[in-house]
Amino acid sequence: MSTLLKSAKSIAPLLDRVLVQRIKAEAKTASGLYLPEKNIEKLNQATVLAVGPGFTDANGNKVVPQVSVGDSVLIPQFGGSSIKLKGDEEVVLFRDSEILAKINE
């Protein structure tokens, strides 16, 4: 699934979906050398941009997402639905249950 949108603000996640943006790895080493783009690994750390309202389970209980906008989280290396934004940016849509951990800084 790949869609070209103007910005992440135009995306409103539904149910228990969470919209995140991966934190970019440094393209420069500690000694000042620049790394080629293909050698920069994707980090598993992301920032939450938007959160859905939650859903109602089979017992009628409201289940709300465990994260909120602005949280730093750990996400799986693979999975989610990638969404391309204008300007070569990319955001990823995950279910709340797929997020591995919240990072307390």
Side-chain angles (χ1 to χ4, degrees):
M1 177 180 160
S2 182
T3 311
L4 185 62
L5 297 171
K6 290 184 179 181
S7 73
K9 292 184 181 193
S10 64
I11 302 170
L14 300 176
L15 301 174
D16 64 337
R17 305 294 197 295
V18 178
L19 185 69
V20 300
Q21 184 171 29
R22 286 186 190 269
I23 294 177
K24 297 196 188 277
E26 291 291 324
K28 186 175 167 184
T29 65
S31 61
L33 297 174
Y34 287 96
L35 299 171
E37 190 173 318
K38 66 179 181 177
N39 290 353
I40 299 173
E41 64 183 53
K42 285 187 174 181
L43 296 178
N44 287 9
Q45 189 174 348
T47 302
V48 176
L49 300 177
V51 180
F55 67 97
T56 305
D57 67 6
N59 297 326
N61 300 321
K62 180 76 172 176
V63 179
V64 296
Q66 304 261 334
V67 296
S68 57
V69 175
D71 286 347
S72 291
V73 294
L74 289 177
I75 56 174
Q77 185 70 28
F78 302 102
S81 298
S82 295
I83 302 168
K84 299 279 185 186
L85 301 176
K86 209 172 196 178
D88 205 28
E89 291 289 321
E90 183 178 336
V91 293
V92 186
L93 199 60
F94 284 100
R95 287 189 178 274
D96 181 54
S97 60
E98 294 175 332
I99 293 177
L100 304 175
K102 187 191 298 189
I103 300 171
N104 298 322
E105 296 179 22

